[in-house]
Amino acid sequence: MTKTKLHEIAELGQSLWIDNISRSMITNGRLKSLIDQGLRGQTSNPTIFKQAISQSHDYDAKIQELAEAGKTTFDIYDELTIKDVQDAADLFRGVYESTKGLDGYVSLEINPKLGNELESQLKEGVRLWQKLNRPNVMIKVPATKNGLGVVEGLIAQGINVNVTLIFSAEQYTQVAWAYLKGLNHLIQKGGDASKVHSVASVFVSRVDTSVDKKLGEKSPLRGMAAVANCEIIYHKFQKSFGGSEFKDLKLKGANVQRVLWASTGTKDPQYSDIKYITELIAAQTVNTVPDKTLEAVLDHGIAKLAMPGDVAAAQGTIEQLRFLDIDVGMVCNQLLDEGLAAFEKSFEELTTSIEEKRARLLVK
C-alpha cells in the first residue's frame, strides 16, 4: 500500500481516527480502504448514530426483525449500535495488534440520558464493555463532575475509556487525575494496568466558533483561541504524564492517556480546511476527524510537528481575549453545557426515529 499523509503523521506520533460510523461504510469496504490508507481508529456519538440510522434504510431489516421479536425501542438501539461498533472493531483488530494496543479502537458512548447519575453511568459502562466483548473498544464518558467518578470507576475495573466533551484546561486536569486514580485502584486490586488504554477528547473548533462571534471581523485574534487553548492543555498533558505521579505507574505497566483532538472539522470557510490538523500535530496524541477533513488530509495534508509550541504565547492569547472581556474558561463551560444538551437531544431524536420505523415496519 502506498504511503499516505496518515502514515507520515503517525510517524510523528499522532494517530488519525475518523469521527463517523455507519452500517454502509462497514459493509461496502470503505472503512477497510481507509484503514489500509493509514486510518487508526474510529469514534461515534449519539448525533452520528442518529444520522446513520434515521437517514438511511440500512438498518430497516434489522429493526423489523428485532421489533417482531418483541424488542423495545431501547433494545433495538442497543443492538444496532453494539453491532456496528463490534464489526468496526473487528476491522481495526489488525491495527490494534500491530500497534500493540496503542490504536485500533472504536468508541461507543454511554446513554446521555444517564448523565446526572453516577452509579447508573458506571453500571451502563460496564454493561456495554461486557456486551461489546472486544479488547479494542472504548466506552465514552462525558467529562462532567459525575463523569469523572465514572472514568475513575471504569479504569479501576480495567475498562478502556474515551473521556469526551473536554473543553477547558481545568476539565482536562481533572480528567487526567481521574485516570491516574483509576489506575492506582486497578493496580492495588492486582489488575494489569498495561491492558488499559484511554484518551482525553478535547473539543476544538467550537471554541473558535464561539469566540470569533464575539470578535470583530478584522480582529487579529480570530481563529487563535482554540489552538491556544489546546497548546495549554498539551502542556498540562506533558506535565501530568512526565511527572512523578505517572512515573511509578509507568513502571507497573501503565499507559499514557493520550490527548485526542475532537471536533476538528473547519467550520469557518475563511480558514484552511486542515487548520485543526496541521496546527495540532503533536506526539502522543490522536486527532479524530470528520469524513470531509480526512479526505482533505489525504489530499493535501502536511506532516510536520506543531506542538509543543510557545505555551507562554498561548497563555498571552487567552489573556488578550480576557482584556476584551472574552473569558475562554466561561466559553468552555457554556460549550460543555451545550454539548451535553446536543447529545441528549440527538439521543432522543434517534430513539424517536427508531420507534417510528419500528411501528411502520411492524405494520408491514
Side-chain angles (χ1 to χ4, degrees):
M1 175 61 68
T2 304
K3 189 175 183 180
T4 72
K5 290 297 178 183
L6 305 191
H7 295 116
E8 292 178 22
I9 293 172
E11 289 173 358
L12 297 174
Q14 182 175 86
S15 305
L16 265 73
W17 296 2
I18 191 168
D19 191 27
N20 190 23
I21 193 168
S22 67
R23 173 65 13 196
S24 61
M25 72 188 298
I26 294 168
T27 59
N28 66 14
R30 179 168 176 268
L31 183 57
K32 177 62 168 62
S33 174
L34 290 172
I35 293 170
D36 290 342
Q37 293 176 71
L39 186 68
R40 298 181 72 159
Q42 188 168 34
T43 51
S44 68
N45 61 47
T47 302
I48 287 170
F49 275 120
K50 183 195 78 171
Q51 293 169 343
I53 295 172
S54 66
Q55 297 179 12
S56 78
H57 296 293
D58 297 339
Y59 301 83
D60 288 7
K62 191 64 177 178
I63 291 173
Q64 183 172 3
E65 175 191 327
L66 293 169
E68 289 174 348
K71 299 294 185 181
T72 66
T73 298
F74 180 82
D75 289 338
I76 294 172
Y77 155 81
D78 199 47
E79 291 296 327
L80 297 180
T81 54
I82 290 283
K83 176 64 172 170
D84 276 3
V85 172
Q86 286 178 324
D87 288 353
D90 289 343
L91 288 175
F92 276 107
R93 189 62 178 263
V95 175
Y96 173 76
E97 292 174 351
S98 66
T99 61
K100 296 181 171 59
L102 179 68
D103 283 305
Y105 295 93
V106 185
S107 298
L108 178 61
E109 192 136 0
I110 289 175
N111 179 351
K113 300 288 282 185
L114 302 177
N116 294 318
E117 303 169 27
L118 191 157
E119 290 302 323
S120 295
Q121 277 188 295
L122 187 55
K123 184 177 179 181
E124 179 68 355
V126 172
R127 183 191 74 83
L128 289 174
W129 173 257
Q130 292 174 341
K131 189 167 183 178
L132 285 163
N133 194 29
R134 302 289 189 279
N136 58 320
V137 295
M138 287 187 173
I139 305 302
K140 289 183 79 173
V141 181
T144 60
K145 183 177 180 181
N146 282 332
L148 294 172
V150 178
V151 171
E152 182 181 339
L154 293 178
I155 294 295
Q157 295 182 64
I159 295 172
N160 302 325
V161 179
N162 177 340
V163 194
T164 188
L165 288 175
I166 301 170
F167 290 93
S168 69
E170 180 183 4
Q171 260 186 300
Y172 169 74
T173 300
Q174 294 170 342
V175 166
W177 184 238
Y179 174 65
L180 295 175
K181 286 198 291 183
L183 286 176
N184 272 306
H185 292 319
L186 175 65
I187 291 169
Q188 287 166 9
K189 293 188 299 182
D192 186 352
S194 69
K195 294 182 178 179
V196 183
H197 288 263
S198 179
V199 292
S201 295
V202 178
F203 281 52
V204 183
S205 64
R206 297 182 194 183
V207 175
D208 273 344
T209 299
S210 182
V211 170
D212 285 359
K213 286 179 181 176
K214 304 174 189 295
L215 294 168
E217 281 293 323
K218 296 183 179 180
S219 171
L221 293 174
R222 284 179 62 83
M224 293 183 64
V227 173
N229 189 50
C230 290
E231 184 72 64
I232 292 167
I233 288 173
Y234 188 67
H235 179 71
K236 289 183 178 295
F237 157 74
Q238 290 184 305
K239 289 185 67 176
S240 295
F241 291 95
S244 58
E245 296 96 338
F246 186 68
K247 185 177 180 180
D248 291 340
L249 291 169
K250 186 177 180 181
L251 290 173
K252 295 172 182 176
N255 297 294
V256 165
Q257 181 191 51
R258 290 183 294 171
V259 173
L260 179 151
W261 309 123
S263 184
T264 52
T266 304
K267 294 178 172 60
D268 190 325
Q270 295 181 55
Y271 302 150
S272 163
D273 58 356
I274 52 173
K275 171 179 171 63
Y276 301 114
I277 310 300
T278 55
E279 295 182 27
L280 295 174
I281 296 178
Q284 294 186 297
T285 63
V286 177
N287 196 320
T288 183
V289 299
D291 297 60
K292 187 176 179 180
T293 305
L294 182 63
E295 291 183 11
V297 174
L298 285 166
D299 180 65
H300 52 272
I302 301 168
K304 182 180 179 182
L305 282 174
M307 289 182 175
D310 188 343
V311 70
Q315 291 167 334
T317 297
I318 302 301
E319 287 300 321
Q320 284 181 274
L321 289 166
R322 187 175 288 117
F323 182 76
L324 297 174
D325 292 328
I326 301 173
D327 187 320
V328 173
M330 291 182 64
V331 168
C332 289
N333 290 338
Q334 181 180 349
L335 289 171
L336 171 60
D337 291 340
E338 291 174 358
L340 290 167
F343 281 168
E344 188 169 334
K345 181 181 178 184
S346 290
F347 183 80
E348 290 173 350
E349 291 173 348
L350 170 56
T351 52
T352 297
S353 175
I354 291 173
E355 175 58 32
E356 290 172 349
K357 286 193 174 192
R358 178 180 180 276
R360 185 170 66 252
L361 293 166
L362 274 176
V363 170
K364 291 181 178 180

